[in-house]
DNA sequence: GTGAAAGCGCTAACAG
DNA sequence: CTGTTAGCGCTTTCAC
């Protein structure tokens, strides 16, 4: 730890007490013009900088937010964090970052460390919010927190999109394009609350349309090559015409796998993703996907958290659903014999029932 | 700040002094078996957790590393951070994160905040390390730091790849494939030390081959659409057959732009990137690029920094060059009339002169 | 308008 | 083996 010049040094140099220096620097009490000037000069000459550790110890506030996400490899979380940063910076908060790699034990450890570091609040994406015992810990410690992406059953502070209706929209787009034999491809975190919701919404929509139930395909998220699993799928359902992948990164990986298996995209098979990461629009074929307002989610979650912190209360226990948007793309192709266009005008951003109407200034 | 139970509470409950509790919990002195047991029980019953702020204040060490990168939008930095995390976790360090968005003023502000937070060391990617006055500040504060990606002129602790020879390799691959009219496309951070080096190596190799000098094209990094600039390039050099983009993300954006301009890739124009981000292998055409060991760079930089911190000294002032690898890809196509194959076997990882020989366990 | 002093949670002498 | 005490850098009464 550097910056060895302390309030004390400044005080001595300015010929006054530390209390005075503190008052001047914080504008928290009276001080004569002369004293003020002397202090300012001493500060400049000494290159004084507050030691925030000392301040935190005494104020019992660290002005630091803890973030815990599964990984940084998925750009979705990078975007979330940038959103959080934007809000944090506005209010003068710093960010302490931890990744848990979809491992509940790591999650536990990370949260523990964050607590020990005395963060003022926590922004989390848990593997499964409903099964997490960390939530109880946080409540008990009375530490404000907001979940991001998670869509828990219980009433917990969370910011996400309605995964169920979003998946229904995907189902609808697929059905409209003439796809009936499809599969839902999910990472090993299918045990995740949000993936579960997507799967349910997806299958329900198919059921309501009288279409055969989508096949569930689980892939190991660590693995880079999913060809074996995909081969298994085609053995089980040879006439599969479309895949709904639980996130864009997975969709990209699957597309690469399919091509290595000799398929042409989207002619041989259609793909839909989820998240709307930046690259999904740059590639060919462009990826049809559900665009989530990642940056805004991070920003909203953080500003809500900060608000709670500053007012010494918990963020409202309830899920804030932000508007998402299904974005058609070249990766989703209409099946022959169908005349409904697949790539019609983009569907408008649809606000789900629970979502607020406040305007979002997306980045 | 939560976790209101302190050492004092534990002491009272265990019927001993805070000193004893501290000794027991830190294994830093003698204690009878009974006392030990009483303390352990009290800790468990009270749910005690150290307040790291208090510890830091007294120990003058925060066990926290400050990270400052330009942005999280480029997966390269996300990978770097994951590498840092890996090393940090091993040694029990936490990460305080700041993004500066290629803005020197932001860089300054961020470093200042990180210093105030009493980080034990800093991991930085600066816009331009040679022109940064923050370096002086860090030296003056005697705060250990390591640059990542930057390749400064001065002898500063840094971990990167040899941008110059890497760019020469790209030039060589391009020339071998029959390209002579090319351009170097750089983000607005062409003022960055590393981009400068790449440009130099690239142009030198062309000069040595007696080929016309590559055109320099600068694009605004904020902008998503670079078609105007590209149109300008083609006006200036109509027979341009290949573009070397200063990073993969930019390459992807440029590829999308070219396609929107009606070009086919790689038939009409070849593209080479720099970084080797994960998606570059998933897309079609796959991206020819210089694969940098991002994860290892973060890991090495962090472990070097931690080593310096724990031994109360500065990291060795010198650039550690890690091996990179030019990876051919479908985006780089041989020009007609050339018989040398473009997509031969991958070139082996080439260790540059200054690089160490220690084995890297890439992730 | 200014200073002395207590104390935030913890560790580290120093006594006993 | 255990307790007392003095800070770490800062803010904040409470006097003067």
């Amino acid at each position: 730890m550097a910056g060895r010049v302390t309030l004390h040094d400044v005080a001595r140099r300015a010929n006054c007490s530390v209390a005075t220096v503190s008052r001047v620097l914080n504008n928290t009490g009276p001080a004569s013009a002369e004293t003020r000037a002397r202090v300012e000069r001493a500060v400049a000459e000494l290159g004084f900088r507050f030691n925030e550790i000392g301040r935190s110890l005494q104020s019992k506030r660290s002005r630091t937010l803890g973030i815990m996400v599964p990984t940084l490899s998925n750009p979705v979380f990078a975007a979330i964090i940038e959103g959080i940063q934007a809000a944090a910076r506005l209010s003068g908060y710093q960010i302490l970052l931890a990744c848990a790699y979809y491992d509940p034990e790591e999650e536990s450890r990370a949260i523990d460390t964050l607590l020990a570091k005395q963060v003022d609040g926590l922004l989390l994406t848990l593997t499964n919010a409903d099964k997490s015992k960390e939530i109880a810990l946080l409540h008990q410690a009375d530490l404000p927190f907001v979940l991001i992406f998670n869509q828990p059953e219980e009433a917990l502070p969370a910011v996400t999109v309605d995964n169920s209706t979003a998946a229904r929209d995907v189902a609808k787009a697929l059905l409209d394009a003439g796809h009936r034999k499809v599969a839902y491809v999910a990472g090993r975190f299918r045990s995740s609350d949000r993936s579960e919701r997507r799967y349910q919404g997806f299958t329900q929509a198919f059921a309501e349309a009288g279409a055969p139930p989508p096949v569930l395909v689980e892939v190991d998220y660590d693995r880079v090559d999913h060809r074996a699993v995909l081969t298994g799928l085609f053995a089980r359902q040879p006439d599969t015409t479309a895949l709904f992948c639980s996130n864009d990164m997975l969709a990209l990986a699957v597309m690469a796998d399919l091509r290595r298996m000799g398929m042409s995209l989207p002619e041989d098979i259609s793909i839909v993703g989820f998240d709307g990461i930046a690259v999904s629009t740059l590639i060919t074929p462009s990826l049809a996907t559900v665009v989530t307002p990642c940056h805004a989610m991070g920003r909203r979650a953080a500003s809500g958290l900060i608000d709670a912190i500053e007012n010494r209360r918990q963020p409202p226990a309830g899920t804030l659903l932000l508007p998402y948007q299904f974005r058609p793309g070249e990766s989703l192709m209409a099946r022959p014999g169908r005349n409904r266009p697949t790539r019609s005008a983009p569907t408008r951003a649809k606000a789900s029932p629970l979502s607020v109407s406040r305007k979002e200034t997306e980045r």
Side-chain angles (χ1 to χ4, degrees), chain A:
Chain A
M1 260 161 53
R4 59 197 56 42
V5 23
T6 76
L7 257 202
H8 215 91
D9 302 324
V10 177
R12 202 169 31 218
R13 179 108 181 185
N15 250 307
C16 62
S17 73
V18 293
T20 301
V21 179
S22 173
R23 277 188 294 248
V24 169
L25 263 28
N26 293 301
N27 248 309
T28 186
S32 72
E34 292 100 303
T35 318
R36 211 168 276 278
R38 284 206 319 279
V39 169
E40 306 283 19
R41 249 193 65 211
V43 165
E45 290 172 353
L46 264 30
F48 169 78
R49 193 190 329 267
F50 273 115
N51 178 331
E52 292 294 341
I53 298 277
R55 295 182 110 179
S56 294
L57 184 58
Q58 120 75 39
S59 68
K60 292 167 155 334
R61 312 192 57 244
S62 62
R63 285 206 152 268
T64 301
L65 265 28
I67 302 188
M68 201 200 64
V69 291
T71 176
L72 251 39
S73 303
N74 190 328
V76 138
F77 296 112
I80 293 263
I81 293 173
E82 290 215 320
I84 293 173
Q85 292 255 31
R89 180 160 28 180
L90 281 184
S91 310
Y93 280 75
Q94 263 51 59
I95 253 61
L96 209 44
L97 179 69
C99 297
Y101 304 102
Y102 296 104
D103 175 358
E105 248 178 61
E106 261 316 317
E107 290 181 356
S108 194
R109 222 188 324 274
I111 291 177
D112 231 63
T113 309
L114 260 14
L115 286 186
K117 287 276 189 181
Q118 310 300 117
V119 295
D120 292 338
L122 241 28
L123 269 341
L124 315 162
T125 297
L126 296 167
T127 302
N128 192 311
D130 287 313
K131 290 187 190 139
S132 171
K133 62 179 194 42
E134 273 60 54
I135 299 285
L137 179 67
L138 295 180
H139 274 133
Q140 175 191 333
D142 198 39
L143 212 248
F145 69 94
V146 177
L147 300 172
I148 302 182
F149 258 134
N150 290 111
Q151 194 174 2
E153 303 273 351
E154 323 168 51
L156 257 25
V159 176
T160 182
V161 295
D162 190 332
N163 288 282
S164 175
T165 65
R168 297 182 82 101
D169 285 3
V170 172
K172 195 167 163 304
L174 250 20
L175 289 164
D176 280 358
H179 296 277
R180 298 182 60 82
K181 297 294 191 67
V182 307
Y184 177 65
V185 185
R188 82 151 124 85
F189 51 99
R190 137 158 159 69
S191 60
S192 95
D193 44 40
R194 50 201 181 284
S195 189
E196 196 64 47
R197 298 244 182 183
R198 286 174 206 160
Y199 182 55
Q200 281 167 10
F202 193 58
T203 51
Q204 276 172 20
F206 265 71
E208 289 165 13
V215 173
L216 175 61
V217 179
E218 292 192 70
V219 301
D220 187 346
Y221 196 56
D222 292 335
R223 197 168 306 273
V224 269
D225 189 337
H226 307 113
R227 281 179 288 181
V229 186
L230 292 171
T231 302
L233 163 65
F234 294 127
R236 188 167 153 203
Q237 188 182 57
D239 45 355
T240 302
T241 64
L243 304 181
F244 175 27
C245 299
S246 68
N247 68 64
D248 286 354
M249 280 305 281
L250 179 58
L252 296 185
V254 165
M255 287 168 80
D257 289 328
L258 293 170
R259 282 195 273 240
R260 283 191 291 175
M261 291 165 72
M263 305 182 96
S264 307
L265 304 178
E267 294 75 17
D268 292 335
I269 194 158
S270 285
I271 306 282
V272 179
F274 201 106
D275 283 343
I277 61 177
V279 287
S280 64
T281 59
L282 302 177
I283 60 174
T284 299
S286 61
L287 184 63
T289 191
V290 173
V291 182
T292 60
C294 311
H295 196 272
M297 282 165 61
R299 198 157 35 74
R300 291 290 288 273
S303 64
L305 179 62
I306 291 170
D307 184 70
I309 290 169
E310 315 232 297
N311 295 297
R312 317 188 160 285
R313 50 177 176 68
Q314 281 289 334
T319 302
L320 172 65
L321 294 176
L322 257 32
Y324 60 87
Q325 183 174 346
F326 174 77
R327 189 188 64 209
E330 299 158 351
S331 68
L332 169 48
M333 194 185 217
R335 298 303 296 170
R338 276 278 161 175
N339 47 14
R340 288 208 232 175
T342 305
R343 287 194 272 143
S344 51
T347 59
R348 286 312 306 148
K350 65 189 317 172
S352 36
L354 289 179
S355 77
V356 289
S357 55
R358 241 188 293 167
K359 252 202 305 263
E360 283 298 315
T361 317
E362 308 305 346
R363 142 195 152 75

